[in-house]
Amino acid sequence: MSSSRQAQPPSFSTREFRAALGMFATGVTIVTARTAQNQVIGLTANSFNSVSLDPPLVLWSLAQAAASLPAFRAGSHYAVNVLAADQKLLAERFAAKGADRWAGVEFTEGACGAPLLAGSAATFECFNRSRYEEGDHVIFVGEVERCTWRPGASPLLFHGGRFYTEHPL
């Protein structure tokens, strides 16, 4: 058996790959920040994950084609807002293109200016520690400076292209 130093070409289409990825249930977040011009920005992301407890690190990824990529790449801080079960409409709004995402949205300002969304199950205020370009996305690694959570909050979940709430076994 020979060892290959490169991956073999995929045996599936992009559509098939996306469908398979959709079988992994995730939480739903809205990542928020302020631009250099002090404008609030935010987007729905389910690519959030923990990296390390010491130091406290998390990651999320953003498409290379995203209009907000330059602002997130240049900014020093952002917040990851983990959505609660009753925030489905907010997740859809921040995922839509061309929508006024911030109209009527209640938030407070985090210590470094990133918006913290009211009602979130948890928030992570992050220093924009590093970025890695991989494929058609940029992976952001944030060093968590502050975090909060609502004990007992039910999470908003995403699976197979649909939103769910938790169902304890």
Side-chain angles (χ1 to χ4, degrees):
M1 189 166 167
S2 65
S3 66
S4 175
R5 298 224 179 243
Q6 290 186 331
Q8 297 298 311
S11 61
F12 47 83
S13 69
T14 301
R15 188 169 155 242
E16 290 169 321
F17 185 51
R18 186 178 188 98
L21 289 172
M23 293 298 101
F24 182 66
T26 66
V28 182
T29 70
I30 294 177
V31 184
T32 59
R34 286 197 179 269
T35 67
Q37 297 75 34
N38 207 34
Q39 177 186 9
V40 290
I41 58 172
L43 56 98
T44 300
N46 69 338
S47 59
F48 174 70
N49 203 2
S50 62
V51 174
S52 170
L53 293 175
D54 186 18
L57 303 175
V58 296
L59 67 76
W60 64 285
S61 62
L62 181 59
Q64 293 269 10
S68 58
L69 179 61
F72 279 109
R73 190 178 263 151
S76 65
H77 288 81
Y78 54 82
V80 179
N81 299 269
V82 177
L83 299 187
D86 62 352
Q87 293 180 304
K88 175 184 177 275
L89 294 177
L90 201 57
E92 291 172 335
R93 180 193 296 192
F94 276 79
K97 291 184 172 146
D100 182 0
R101 295 178 175 175
W102 293 96
V105 173
E106 187 180 337
F107 66 90
T108 58
E109 193 164 303
C112 292
L116 306 178
L117 301 176
S120 295
T123 60
F124 298 88
E125 296 180 66
C126 302
F127 169 70
N128 197 356
R129 180 178 169 131
S130 52
R131 290 153 301 290
Y132 302 93
E133 292 189 21
E134 291 292 339
D136 58 5
H137 278 65
V138 175
I139 301 164
F140 287 83
V141 176
E143 187 161 352
V144 181
E145 296 178 336
R146 284 164 207 76
C147 67
T148 61
W149 64 96
R150 270 194 312 133
S154 293
L156 182 62
L157 304 174
F158 195 72
H159 175 264
R162 296 178 56 201
F163 291 102
Y164 292 84
T165 58
E166 69 176 326
H167 297 284
L169 298 177

